[in-house]
């Protein structure tokens, strides 16, 4: 199909062919002129340059179609001065539009066209190392905000561009509603307005909800798209430990940007106030185009990028960075240089927290909505950006985290996360989504209130391919985790230590597990404690230690009410006896390893006791062939992700001294003494286990951790209860397990068990490794989600690799 080229637009190739009669246009960036003899077009040739932005009929899709990647690269290589001048002139037009306030339709169209053109060109500037400093060079006579200042004081082009975008985002009658009723000739002076009065949506710190405007939303979306493209220079640099090094974000979120506060508030409010269902009219999304959704998506992406700040390496910690800090005090403590992070950390009003939490929960739950009419409700697609935003909120603002945990509202976040985890477990292209969902639950599980909230009965009934059960949110969590472990794809194996750590963290507070969930836990122990699996990799035994710690916590602290788990332990008592009698001689080890070669997988999917799935559920499907995915940097091991804290009798936590964890070198298990050794990727697939470092198990190695297996509590329980249960069965001729459960419900082990061990919680701790992981994940999501137009497609990104599944 032939593309209709607007009449005023000539081919981008004209930058290669056009010769000027005037003198060469020079720039201070020598790299753009080195080695080329082509005669550039002079900057004053307005008739030539205006063709690129004077047209009234182009859209951003037109610009991407009319300016092919090959032509941009050709101009960059063969006529760099012309490309430099085009960038100068486009930025200059944006600066002029911001200065004048875009009063006329022509000015508005020029601003939009320049914005689209820069969005198209910038990735090709960033991908070439020779051009990397181009926008940060000082250009005499170009890109300045005012005409009277000396050339020495001229701003770098990047700063002029960012400040112009910020101004344009609060330009009356272009991106915001004017407060004046006068005619155009007396329009508001953009430098005289207080942009805090023009925040885009009611919510945090702003009570007035402006009249929605289709054109304003479209214009905001275009400018945010350009802003996101400016920030994306980091995509063209390899992963680095220098976490706060994006100069575009640093400048935009600094005090140089007078609109920082209203823009942060606008972005946050526009996301949290969005309701895709609207008035609930069935199929409304098919009848009317939702012009707000593209804006909300762009706002969410810009917001999470501006909040990409690693506080673990910052010399100025976030406000309220500890559990005792107070946010928004009269005397502001020193916050990070990034104002967006600073503002986020200082939100403190409960009504603001409620607005944010309700908004995020509403949007995360949107894909779960079920109606009697199929496909009748609009389903949003930006849940990954929302998960990153929720993570940032909890990480930077501890008051928000405590607010989330103090009521059952946290379950409105938990249910959609578990839904996404279950739905994505077979899809390799969504492994990043699996990671962030698990990281959020790990963060929440470090707080006692999360475990307590999990005891609320689960009645939501989201259709999922998990067994039907009656129980609590804790049962729901355990059943989904079991499903991930037993029927997820191989790349999820490094997450298993995180999944079990979450269960360990909440286990002391679980009052009553269902029989389904109890059987799932025992099934995992049964699979992980087979000799061939224990001996096939150096760290596999850690999974057994985690599960034993779960059982010990529940028996010691929640015995009453957990008769289902106790009964499951009694039924599977041979598993514990086998662990206690694990062979340690070399011959038995080698015999077990020979058996592993015959076993198809560590956990048999045919023996996962799933039974009947929920009504209306569909199985998790793998990615369709050809699906694109972004690679991720390796996640730190659980020892780097967490630090141990001990729960005192009054419920407070104290971090354990590092010296108390010194015996890792001797192979001590994580559940007993230490996690100081790295054990990311704990579960190696059978086919590859033996190839890792040519490691072979020895009797000494087996003895080193077998002697530390925390079996005393469980063995004592079995010693006391098994004879009693067997006697009742014989005396009463019982065959019905409900009678046995009734007996166990009224039983007690007070005074019969060992002294309760202290509760250990592994709390998430920020570090450079997770900051780098979040950066690659976040930008990978943004890359793959921006397909119309495909801003970064087929450019030479370095932060991650784009692969086909």
């Amino acid at each position: 199909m032939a593309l209709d080229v607007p009449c005023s637009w000539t081919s981008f190739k004209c930058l290669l062919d056009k010769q000027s009669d005037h003198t060469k246009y020079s720039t201070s960036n020598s790299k753009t002129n080195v080695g080329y003899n082509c005669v550039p077009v002079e900057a004053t040739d307005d008739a030539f340059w205006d063709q690129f932005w004077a047209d009234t009929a182009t859209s951003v899709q037109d610009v991407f179609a009319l300016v092919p990647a090959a032509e941009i690269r050709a101009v960059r290589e063969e006529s760099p001065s012309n490309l430099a001048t085009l960038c100068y002139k486009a930025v200059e037009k944006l600066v002029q539009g911001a200065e004048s306030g875009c009063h006329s339709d022509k000015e508005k169209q020029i601003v939009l066209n320049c914005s689209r053109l820069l969005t198209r060109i910038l990735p090709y500037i960033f991908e070439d190392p020779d051009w990397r400093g181009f926008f940060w060079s000082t250009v005499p006579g170009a890109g300045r905000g005012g005409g009277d200042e000396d050339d020495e004081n001229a701003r770098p082009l990047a700063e002029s561009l960012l400040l112009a975008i910020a101004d344009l985002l609060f330009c009356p009658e272009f991106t915001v509603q004017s407060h004046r009723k006068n005619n155009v000739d007396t329009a508001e002076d953009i430098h005289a307005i207080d942009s805090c009065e023009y925040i885009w949506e009611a919510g945090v710190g702003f009570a007035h909800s402006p009249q929605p405007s289709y054109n304003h939303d479209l214009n905001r979306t275009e400018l945010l798209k350009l802003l996101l493209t400016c920030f994306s220079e980091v995509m063209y640099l390899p992963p680095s430990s220098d976490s706060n090094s994006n100069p575009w974000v640093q400048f935009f979120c600094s005090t140089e940007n007078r609109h920082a506060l209203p823009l942060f508030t606008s972005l946050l409010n526009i996301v949290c106030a969005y309701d895709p269902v609207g008035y609930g009219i069935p199929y409304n999304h098919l009848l009317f185009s939702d012009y707000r959704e593209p804006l909300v998506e762009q706002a969410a992406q810009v917001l999470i990028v501006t909040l990409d700040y690693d506080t673990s390496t910052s010399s100025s910690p976030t406000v309220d960075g500890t559990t005792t800090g107070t946010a928004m005090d009269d005397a502001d403590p020193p916050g990070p240089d990034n104002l967006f992070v600073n503002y986020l950390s200082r939100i403190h009003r409960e009504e603001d927290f409620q607005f944010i939490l309700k908004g995020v929960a509403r949007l995360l739950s949107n894909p779960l909505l079920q109606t009697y009419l199929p496909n009748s409700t609009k389903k949003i697609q930006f849940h990954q950006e929302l998960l990153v935003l929720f993570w940032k909120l909890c990480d930077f603002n501890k008051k928000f985290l405590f607010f989330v945990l103090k009521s059952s509202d946290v379950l409105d976040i938990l249910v959609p996360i578990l839904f996404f985890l279950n739905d994505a477990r077979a899809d390799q292209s969504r492994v990043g989504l699996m990671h962030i969902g698990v990281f959020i639950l790990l963060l929440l599980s470090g707080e006692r209130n999360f475990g307590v909230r999990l005891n609320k009965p689960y009645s939501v009934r989201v259709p999922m391919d998990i067994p039907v059960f009656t129980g609590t949110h804790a049962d729901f969590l355990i059943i989904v985790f079991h499903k991930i472990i037993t029927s997820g794809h191989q790349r999820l194996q490094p997450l298993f230590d995180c999944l079990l750590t979450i269960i360990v963290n909440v286990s002391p507070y679980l009052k009553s597990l269902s029989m389904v969930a109890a059987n799932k836990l025992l099934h995992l122990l049964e699979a992980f404690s087979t000799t061939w699996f224990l001996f096939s990799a150096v760290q596999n035994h850690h999974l057994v230690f985690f599960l034993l710690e779960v059982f010990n916590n529940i028996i010691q602290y929640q015995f009453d009410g957990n008769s289902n788990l106790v009964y499951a332990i009694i039924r599977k008592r041979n598993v514990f006896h086998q662990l206690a009698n694990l062979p340690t001689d070399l011959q038995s080890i080698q015999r077990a390893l020979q058996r592993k070669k015959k076993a198809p997988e560590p956990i048999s999917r045919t023996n996962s006791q799933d039974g009947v799935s929920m009504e209306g559920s569909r199985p998790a499907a793998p990615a369709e062939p050809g699906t694109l995915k972004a690679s991720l940097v390796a996640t730190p091991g659980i020892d780097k992700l967490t630090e141990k804290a001990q729960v005192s009798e009054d419920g407070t936590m104290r971090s354990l001294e590092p010296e108390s964890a010194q015996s890792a070198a001797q192979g001590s298990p994580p559940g007993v003494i230490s996690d100081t050794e790295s054990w990311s990727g704990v579960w190696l697939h059978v086919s590859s286990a033996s190839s890792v470092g040519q490691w072979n198990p020895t009797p000494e190695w087996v003895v080193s951790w077998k002697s530390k297996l925390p079996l005393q509590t469980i063995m004592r329980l079995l010693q006391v209860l098994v004879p009693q249960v067997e006697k009742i069965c014989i005396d009463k001729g019982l065959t019905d397990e409900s009678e046995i459960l009734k007996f166990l419900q009224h039983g007690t082990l007070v005074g019969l068990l060992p002294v309760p061990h202290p509760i250990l919680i592994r709390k998430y701790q920020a570090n450079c490794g997770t900051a780098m992981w979040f950066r690659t994940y976040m930008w990978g999501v943004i890359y793959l989600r921006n397909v119309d137009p495909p801003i970064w497609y087929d450019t030479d990104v370095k932060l991650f690799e784009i692969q086909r599944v």
Side-chain angles (χ1 to χ4, degrees), residues 240-245 308-318 336 396 766-772 775:
S240 160
S241 59
D242 188 1
S243 297
N244 304 319
S245 61
D308 180 21
Y309 189 88
D310 180 14
T311 53
S312 70
T313 59
S314 172
S315 56
S316 44
T318 53
F396 292 148
N767 60 77
C768 292
T770 49
M772 192 65 248
R775 181 169 303 120

Side-chain angles (χ1 to χ4, degrees), residues 51-228:
Q51 67 182 316
F52 291 102
W53 38 75
D55 193 84
T56 57
T58 53
S59 66
V60 67
Q61 287 79 10
D62 290 334
V63 171
F64 271 70
L66 291 165
V67 186
E71 291 183 9
I72 301 175
R73 289 190 173 110
V75 173
R76 187 185 68 195
E77 301 304 322
E78 298 172 35
S79 187
S81 287
N82 282 347
L83 184 59
T85 305
L86 181 66
C87 292
Y88 298 146
K89 297 293 286 184
V91 173
E92 186 178 57
K93 288 295 180 184
L94 291 178
V95 172
Q96 289 172 359
E99 291 283 332
S100 69
C102 287
H103 296 157
S104 67
D105 288 341
K106 182 180 179 183
E107 284 179 294
K108 293 173 183 174
Q109 193 60 48
I110 288 174
V111 163
L112 290 174
N113 284 342
C114 288
S115 176
R116 293 160 183 164
L117 191 62
L118 286 169
T119 301
R120 179 60 171 147
I121 294 172
L122 277 170
Y124 298 92
I125 300 277
F126 294 154
E127 75 173 1
D128 188 335
D130 287 342
W131 282 79
R132 196 144 292 149
F134 167 69
F135 268 85
W136 293 97
S137 59
T138 303
V139 184
R144 288 183 300 170
D148 299 330
E149 55 191 345
D150 297 328
D151 281 349
E152 292 76 39
N153 297 325
R155 285 191 178 279
L157 200 58
E159 294 186 6
S160 298
L161 173 56
L162 291 173
L163 292 178
I165 294 171
D167 280 338
L168 289 165
L169 286 169
F170 291 98
C171 187
E173 297 307 330
F174 180 54
T175 49
V176 292
Q177 194 77 40
S178 175
H179 288 182
R180 291 191 183 181
K181 305 297 182 186
N182 305 1
N183 57 37
V184 175
D185 295 334
T186 57
E188 294 164 276
D189 176 6
I190 196 165
H191 293 292
I193 68 171
D194 177 5
S195 49
C196 284
E197 298 177 4
Y198 291 85
I199 289 170
W200 299 350
E201 187 59 73
V204 176
F206 193 69
H208 171 63
S209 188
Q211 187 70 25
S213 165
Y214 173 77
N215 286 325
H216 292 171
D217 277 6
L218 290 182
N219 296 340
R220 292 166 178 169
T221 305
E222 298 260 20
L223 290 168
L224 290 180
K225 205 180 292 286
L226 172 58
L227 188 59
L228 194 62

